Amino acid sequence: MSARAEYHHGNLRRALLDAALALFVERQRFDFTMRELARAAQVTHNAPYRHFADRWALLDALAAEGFALLREEQLAAAKDHVRDPRTRIAKLGEGYVRFAEAHPHHFRLMFLRPLRGASAELARAARTTFMPLEEAIADAEARGLLRPGLKKRDLAVAAWSLVHGLASLVVGGQLPLTRRGLRGRIDALTTVFTEGAFVGGRKRGG
């Protein structure tokens, strides 16, 4: 099929994104040229420029897609715990690690470079993904559950740092997890976080 036919069929953008991920799986790095990408996607060498100005624009689009998938995973994990900030934060963390385990290539790409200088689409997707955690912490504050003097933004970054470290170890193969093992690790991280952030520490029996 020609690049023009694929473009009108509506599959070109998806084909390019999938080809980029496939190249990463093969090389374990994102150093391909747009010409190499076109070859992998089986389109003409000019076809990628119909959707992406350059390689970084394409990688930003892939990273934005990853953040959107991460948000969905987190919200699905936490949807039944909207009235319990402690458990909600724990479930958001569990969804974060599950996403990283299921989509390791997206996960690596999402943090490949600083958001400063990235596309508006990527910056917006990253910000939107961070919001459920910020909202859970704001809810905890509104319920009088947080220790006084702690800033919500600092707590959100602390919680994110804990779970991101665990996710990075899982993706890097340093800490393979079973489903039961993941719950135990998340429970431990939640205890560490809530003991420092919440009045009275972790809710017993919660």
Side-chain angles (χ1 to χ4, degrees):
M1 180 183 293
S2 68
R4 181 178 179 82
E6 288 184 344
Y7 176 72
H8 286 295
H9 193 257
N11 290 331
L12 178 58
R13 188 177 191 275
R14 181 73 261 161
L16 293 169
L17 293 173
D18 290 344
L21 275 180
L23 284 171
F24 173 73
V25 173
E26 177 185 337
R27 301 181 179 190
Q28 292 301 300
R29 59 187 187 275
F30 288 100
D31 63 351
F32 54 82
T33 66
M34 292 293 271
R35 186 177 291 270
E36 288 174 319
L37 174 65
R39 189 181 306 120
Q42 298 183 331
V43 297
T44 64
H45 68 272
N46 286 326
Y49 295 102
R50 295 180 182 274
H51 289 282
F52 305 106
D54 53 29
R55 181 171 62 93
W56 279 111
L58 182 143
L59 295 179
D60 279 0
L62 264 178
E65 179 179 77
F67 278 111
L69 292 170
L70 171 57
R71 177 180 169 85
E72 291 177 5
E73 186 75 30
Q74 288 183 295
L75 291 177
K79 65 182 177 63
D80 295 329
H81 306 280
V82 294
R83 297 185 180 181
D84 181 354
R86 289 180 177 88
T87 304
R88 187 171 159 197
I89 290 169
K91 290 297 183 180
L92 288 171
E94 186 174 325
Y96 192 104
V97 179
R98 288 196 187 285
F99 164 81
E101 189 175 30
H103 304 278
H105 309 306
H106 268 106
F107 183 79
R108 290 190 182 100
L109 176 59
M110 287 157 60
F111 303 98
L112 184 64
R113 66 167 175 160
L115 289 177
R116 180 174 295 178
S119 69
E121 177 191 12
L122 175 54
R124 182 170 54 252
R127 173 62 184 159
T128 301
T129 301
F130 197 55
M131 287 174 62
L133 176 59
E134 290 182 317
E135 291 166 356
I137 290 174
D139 185 30
E141 181 185 57
R143 295 171 186 266
L145 299 176
L146 297 184
R147 295 182 185 276
L150 297 175
K151 296 180 179 179
K152 296 192 297 294
R153 176 67 179 179
D154 291 342
L155 290 176
V157 171
W160 176 35
S161 299
L162 285 170
V163 77
H164 184 79
L166 175 57
S168 297
L169 290 172
V170 172
V171 169
Q174 290 90 357
L175 191 64
L177 292 177
T178 62
R179 180 176 293 273
R180 182 176 180 181
L182 172 59
R183 290 174 180 169
R185 302 291 186 186
I186 292 294
D187 189 61
L189 289 184
T190 305
T191 298
V192 169
F193 178 73
T194 56
E195 286 290 345
F198 281 66
V199 175
R202 180 173 172 81
K203 182 174 67 175
R204 305 303 174 186

